[in-house]
């Protein structure tokens, strides 16, 4: 049996994340792009950590550094990563983990992706809100006629909605009146909504100049409900910037492959918790929970039996 690897999106990065992570060339590249000597100290400044251009580069680089170090340990223990997927910007790390492009290219693409999204957001400010406790039909009725849309669907009653700030305020009030819980996310762009169309188009042009390889392991697309081929990865990475991420479907597809466990790589434990709610029979943990790399490997080996 093999482990499924999922790479986190932004929003849960923190200065103590991935405590077992060693310095390597990916982190060196990240520090150079971000202009910081100590990335953990930089993350201690919550205002700095919320900046789109900082978070996307940092999460891609730390995710791929963690993946490289974990993969060496897994190979030594004869444990295979059977499939990979990424949540939002995590798709860049997932593509690199599947050898569609290199880690260096993924980190550079994260910088470009953030810049295009920030440029689109500068034309009209937007945001995201996590909404739970309201069924899809009721929420869709509330969204009808507004400029807010579902950015990420994590489950039947768990979504992230995005749009212009004033429209998002009105939606949150209407949803709360129907018993929903709304949490405004610490991001400054309405990712995965039509407000990001220009960013998606610009990123697609940037990707068109990059030669992509066929994935070396199953790589799940978060929007089109299938495993990517190389040509699909190019338009898929661009499309998801302005289209709904169907993480609920990604989880179901990964579960259908029968992994022994699911490991989230990134800051926080959001994806591991979502997995446990949807597929409790398959263990899920976040690499962020472990103090040492050996701890991560021991847990995976125990799951693999």
């Amino acid at each position: 049996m093999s482990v499924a690897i999922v790479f986190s999106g932004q929003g849960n990065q923190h200065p103590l994340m991935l405590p077992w992570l060693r310095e390597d060339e990916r982190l060196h590249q990240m520090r150079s792009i971000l202009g910081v000597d100590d990335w953990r100290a930089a993350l201690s400044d919550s205002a700095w950590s919320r900046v789109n251009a900082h978070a996307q580069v940092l999460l891609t680089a730390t995710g791929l550094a963690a993946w490289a170090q974990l993969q060496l340990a897994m190979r030594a223990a004869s444990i295979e990563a059977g499939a990979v997927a990424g949540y939002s910007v995590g798709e860049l790390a997932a593509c690199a983990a599947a050898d569609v492009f290199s880690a260096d290219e993924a980190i550079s693409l994260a910088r470009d992706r953030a810049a295009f999204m920030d440029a689109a957001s500068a034309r009209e400010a937007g945001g995201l809100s996590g909404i739970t406790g309201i069924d899809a039909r009721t929420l869709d009725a509330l969204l009808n006629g507004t400029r807010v849309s579902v950015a990420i669907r994590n489950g039947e009653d768990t979504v992230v909605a995005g749009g212009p700030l004033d429209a998002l305020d009105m939606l949150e009030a209407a949803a709360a009146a129907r018993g929903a819980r709304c949490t405004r996310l610490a991001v400054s762009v309405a990712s995965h909504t039509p407000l990001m169309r220009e960013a998606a188009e610009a990123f697609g042009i940037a990707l068109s100049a990059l030669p992509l390889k066929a994935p070396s392991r199953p790589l799940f697309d978060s929007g089109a409900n299938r495993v990517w081929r190389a040509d699909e990865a190019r338009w898929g990475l661009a499309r998801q910037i302005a289209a709904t991420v169907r993480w609920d479907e990604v989880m179901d597809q990964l579960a259908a492959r029968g992994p022994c466990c699911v490991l989230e790589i990134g800051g926080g434990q959001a994806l591991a918790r979502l997995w446990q709610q949807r597929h409790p029979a398959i263990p899920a943990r976040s690499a962020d929970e472990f103090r040492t790399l050996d701890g991560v490997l021991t847990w995976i080996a125990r799951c693999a039996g």
Side-chain angles (χ1 to χ4, degrees):
M1 299 180 75
S2 60
V3 56
I5 302 293
V6 295
F7 290 91
S8 306
Q10 66 193 91
N12 294 308
Q13 57 273 14
H14 60 93
L16 299 179
M17 62 184 279
L18 299 170
W20 48 269
L21 194 59
R22 301 189 309 273
E23 183 71 17
D24 68 3
E25 65 272 18
R26 296 160 188 85
L27 299 185
H28 177 77
Q29 180 187 3
M30 174 193 76
R31 290 190 290 105
S32 178
I33 290 174
L34 297 180
V36 297
D37 292 326
D38 186 336
W39 62 273
R40 294 190 185 277
L43 277 178
S44 297
D45 179 350
S46 60
W48 186 93
S49 70
R50 286 196 301 268
V51 172
N52 201 39
H54 300 159
Q56 294 200 29
V57 170
L58 186 142
L59 286 167
T60 302
T62 55
L64 288 172
W67 162 248
Q69 293 166 32
L70 176 65
Q71 189 180 30
L72 285 175
M74 287 172 57
R75 284 175 176 166
S78 300
I79 298 172
E80 176 190 359
V84 294
Y87 189 93
S88 190
V89 70
E91 284 197 323
L92 291 176
C95 282
D99 302 309
V100 173
F101 40 66
S102 70
D104 286 351
E105 289 168 330
I107 296 167
S108 294
L109 285 170
R111 176 190 56 198
D112 295 341
R113 183 181 188 270
F116 295 139
M117 294 174 72
D118 284 340
S121 184
R123 295 179 180 86
E124 182 172 19
L128 297 173
S129 179
I131 302 177
T132 60
I134 187 170
D135 65 89
R137 181 174 295 181
T138 301
L139 179 62
D140 288 343
L142 292 177
L143 293 175
N144 188 36
T146 75
R147 296 184 63 207
V148 180
S149 56
V150 174
I152 305 172
R153 195 173 289 281
N154 292 317
E156 173 64 22
D157 64 350
T158 306
V159 306
V160 176
L165 296 178
D166 56 348
L168 204 54
D169 289 338
M170 294 173 63
L171 173 69
E172 288 178 333
R178 288 161 175 78
R181 185 164 67 100
C182 305
T183 305
R184 189 66 63 95
L185 304 186
V187 298
S188 57
V189 295
S191 311
H192 318 299
T193 75
L195 288 184
M196 291 291 109
R197 264 196 203 107
E198 290 185 13
E201 292 170 359
F203 196 49
I205 293 171
L207 285 164
S208 67
L210 191 68
L212 305 185
K213 300 175 184 176
S216 58
R217 52 177 52 86
L219 171 65
F220 284 92
D221 173 13
S222 64
N225 194 24
R226 61 169 174 257
V227 179
W228 269 340
R229 298 190 305 268
D231 56 330
E232 293 171 330
R234 191 185 310 279
W235 62 261
L237 283 169
R239 184 208 65 246
Q240 60 105 301
I241 292 176
T244 302
V245 168
R246 291 303 307 262
W247 192 249
D248 52 350
E249 294 183 359
V250 171
M251 289 189 286
D252 291 346
Q253 291 175 87
L254 285 171
R257 299 190 70 86
C260 67
C261 61
V262 173
L263 181 72
E264 175 183 0
I265 295 180
Q269 304 169 28
L271 301 186
R273 284 195 296 267
L274 286 171
W275 182 276
Q276 289 166 346
Q277 293 167 11
R278 194 168 183 89
H279 295 290
I282 301 174
R285 298 282 296 275
S286 169
D288 201 33
E289 300 177 56
F290 297 90
R291 294 187 60 84
T292 66
L293 178 57
D294 283 345
V296 182
L297 191 65
T298 298
W299 176 75
I300 295 174
R302 188 184 310 124
C303 292

